[in-house]
Amino acid sequence: MTRQFEVEATVPVAERLTVRGGQLAAVSEGRTLVVGAERLRIGRAPQCELVLDHPTVSAVHAEVQATPVGVRLLDLGSRNGTFVGDARVVEAYLTTPCEIRCGNRIARFWPEAPEQIAIGNKVAFAGLVGTTPEMLTVFSTLDRFAATNLSIVITGETGTGKDRVARAIHDASGRHGKPFLAINCAAMPDALLEDELFGHARGAFTGAERERSGLLVEADGGTVFFDEVAEMSAAMQAKLLRVLENGEVRPIGSERMRRVDVRTLFATHADLAEAVNRKRFREDLYFRIAQVTVEIPPLRRRLQDLRLIVQHILEDLGHPEVTLDEAGLALLMTRSWPGNVRELRSVVSVALVGSRGGVLSFQDALGSALAADKIAPLETMTYDEAKREFRRRYYMGLYAACRGNVTQMARRAGKQRLTVREALREMSIDVDSGPGAQPISEDSTVHVGTEPPGVSPSRATK
């Protein structure tokens, strides 16, 4: 059983979250969708929560979800784009009445009064810890669906802990006493993957000297975890779909079908909806496996939790007595963490070797190599790129050095408090709203109806 980390009592955790939702009305179809805290899909496929039946609309076109800063509208790799007014967006937060266009179909949005939703106060699930609203919402979702038999897709960048989450879902379910078996779909050619999953009969091929059951039979009554499912070939997707629909497995070279009862969990760092729209992943399989979707946010979007995460890693490594000094935290805050928590764990492990006096000093342990963070030197970037990167490193280091005190940060930087707050918001840190505040992603955004904290050309175009 995965050990749960007990957060310090001094860390405030909100049990309820205020979100701003609304309603979407499809003009041509006469359908209306109430947007709440659940992720809802818009698209041509009949399984979508808001169906827009037109050839210019992708099967899974976009997604909407109520958040503390407005309704998040996310394009899911659609062929013809998602527009708010005349602006093509990848991601936008809707706060005022507007028109959304998906292909040639239009939906009208209007906001509703903010409402409070219960998210619980769990600050840990599997190897994940966090106190940001985004993470608390993830924990609440996992806690709610872990005990069911629903198929769950866990998405997130490499190193965010998707495999640990899958194992913890199994441990929290009624199948915890049965096998939990995992398979990496990206690591095997079709023939080997089919044999691993379905098994084979004796004499099915050269070298098959005895019968082999396969993972799906071996895990009967338990859980099978498919890692990197987006890498599975079209042929294997079809075979997997038949198993999931019929609950029967036929080993290679056998005419005998065998009933199996397994729960399936899936993980991917790729966008499955975009893969569906690009015809790289079967639409019917997507809706079969994505009964629940959980997105694990990258570390760079929850830097406020760095100290807490490091404490948890130290506990897990058997060194709870070691502490993190301010210089080390400041250095960690300046990094972009492309390898996420897995990379942080590796860095902490190395820093432990050189720590003295019970203090985890990253500066002493790793020196300038740590600060480099696999980022190109500023002089190799364009001026605008270098300016943005310097701004990120500067404010993250300042945030750690001043322990998040905006007044001290503004005094040291020689800037107004409002300027400092806006800079932190762009980097996923909201210092104004207190416990339970929603961080604004550095990867965002267009805020429709409000002044955006920063619009990236890759996120919105005219």
Side-chain angles (χ1 to χ4, degrees):
M1 179 69 71
T2 304
R3 177 175 52 193
Q4 297 292 317
F5 177 67
E6 296 298 330
V7 67
E8 292 181 0
T10 56
V11 178
V13 179
E15 294 190 21
R16 303 188 69 83
L17 184 68
T18 300
V19 298
R20 302 169 66 182
Q23 291 194 37
L24 275 175
V27 174
S28 300
E29 282 75 6
R31 303 184 182 100
T32 301
L33 180 68
V34 177
V35 183
E38 299 294 331
R39 299 166 63 164
L40 305 174
R41 294 163 294 201
I42 303 169
R44 191 185 67 253
Q47 297 94 332
C48 289
E49 285 75 19
L50 181 60
V51 179
L52 302 178
D53 190 11
H54 194 272
T56 61
V57 179
S58 294
V60 193
H61 198 104
E63 178 182 278
V64 287
Q65 180 183 28
T67 77
V69 293
V71 170
R72 182 192 187 214
L73 171 67
L74 181 67
D75 182 85
L76 297 176
S78 65
R79 292 173 298 155
N80 294 312
T82 300
F83 294 79
V84 178
D86 293 328
R88 182 170 183 167
V89 301
V90 172
E91 184 178 22
Y93 286 85
L94 312 178
T95 59
T96 61
C98 60
E99 282 192 348
I100 299 170
R101 179 162 57 85
C102 299
N104 288 341
R105 282 291 185 259
I106 292 176
R108 292 194 175 98
F109 169 79
W110 63 92
E112 294 186 335
E115 64 171 333
Q116 285 197 331
I117 60 171
I119 57 174
N121 60 359
K122 289 192 69 170
V123 297
F125 192 95
L128 301 178
V129 293
T131 58
T132 63
E134 192 172 16
M135 288 304 297
L136 292 178
T137 302
V138 168
F139 298 151
S140 177
T141 301
L142 291 170
D143 204 39
R144 184 154 38 113
F145 291 109
T148 72
N149 281 320
L150 292 174
S151 176
I152 299 178
V153 171
I154 307 161
T155 68
E157 296 179 4
T158 299
T160 50
K162 299 185 292 296
D163 54 343
R164 291 192 177 204
V165 171
R167 180 64 201 232
I169 290 173
H170 170 77
D171 289 342
S173 73
R175 298 173 180 265
H176 61 87
K178 298 293 185 177
F180 173 86
L181 300 179
I183 189 165
N184 189 328
C185 302
M188 300 182 185
D190 273 11
L192 183 55
L193 181 60
E194 183 176 7
D195 187 39
E196 285 291 316
L197 286 176
F198 308 138
H200 60 257
R202 180 180 178 184
F205 49 81
T206 303
E209 298 178 355
R210 59 182 178 178
E211 179 181 311
R212 184 175 184 275
S213 296
L215 291 183
L216 290 167
V217 170
E218 292 172 8
D220 191 29
T223 304
V224 177
F225 171 51
F226 295 80
D227 198 8
E228 298 301 347
V229 66
E231 304 301 318
M232 187 179 287
S233 72
M236 283 303 301
Q237 290 175 35
K239 293 175 181 179
L240 176 60
L241 180 61
R242 284 196 295 271
V243 171
L244 297 181
E245 289 182 336
N246 301 327
E248 294 181 333
V249 173
R250 186 172 71 180
I252 300 172
S254 173
E255 297 298 325
R256 182 173 59 90
M257 303 294 291
R258 176 165 178 177
R259 297 287 301 177
V260 292
D261 171 28
V262 294
R263 185 188 191 177
T264 51
L265 304 174
F266 301 85
T268 177
H269 73 277
D271 188 331
L272 275 185
E274 182 177 0
V276 169
N277 294 330
R278 297 290 183 268
K279 309 297 184 184
R280 295 194 299 266
F281 199 83
R282 291 181 63 107
E283 181 182 317
D284 46 6
L285 179 59
Y286 167 77
F287 283 105
R288 177 61 183 78
I289 69 176
Q291 294 175 315
V292 179
T293 300
V294 177
E295 180 183 2
I296 310 300
L299 184 55
R300 65 179 178 275
R301 276 169 42 191
R302 50 193 190 100
L303 293 176
Q304 288 165 292
D305 284 333
L306 264 175
R307 182 185 291 278
L308 180 65
I309 298 170
V310 170
Q311 289 173 347
H312 174 51
I313 292 172
L314 289 169
E315 176 91 6
D316 199 45
L317 293 175
H319 293 277
E321 76 287 352
V322 178
T323 60
L324 174 63
D325 67 2
E326 296 308 312
L329 180 61
L331 195 53
L332 296 183
M333 293 286 287
T334 64
R335 291 168 65 85
S336 60
W337 299 106
N340 292 292
V341 177
R342 181 184 298 149
E343 180 186 0
L344 176 61
R345 184 183 180 91
S346 177
V347 167
V348 171
S349 298
V350 174
L352 271 171
V353 176
S355 63
R356 295 179 178 83
V359 177
L360 195 67
S361 176
F362 294 97
Q363 186 69 52
D364 293 341
L366 300 178
S368 60
L370 178 62
D373 189 27
K374 302 178 183 177
I375 297 175
L378 295 179
E379 62 271 17
T380 66
M381 306 177 186
T382 67
Y383 176 80
D384 288 341
E385 290 171 341
K387 186 177 178 180
R388 285 193 296 270
E389 178 58 27
F390 170 78
R391 178 181 171 86
R392 184 187 69 80
R393 296 184 197 178
Y394 178 79
Y395 277 106
M396 289 297 94
L398 197 61
Y399 177 88
C402 297
R403 291 178 171 265
N405 187 304
V406 176
T407 300
Q408 291 184 18
M409 293 178 66
R411 186 180 298 119
R412 286 198 189 187
K415 297 288 185 180
Q416 296 293 324
R417 287 164 54 92
L418 180 60
T419 302
V420 174
R421 289 193 185 98
E422 290 302 320
L424 292 176
R425 285 195 186 99
E426 292 175 24
M427 299 162 197
S428 311
I429 295 180
D430 188 346
V431 295
D432 291 329
S433 303
Q438 171 69 25
I440 299 175
S441 166
E442 66 178 349
D443 295 333
S444 301
T445 90
V446 180
H447 281 248
V448 178
T450 62
E451 184 67 19
V455 180
S456 167
S458 65
R459 284 301 200 185
T461 58
K462 281 283 188 178

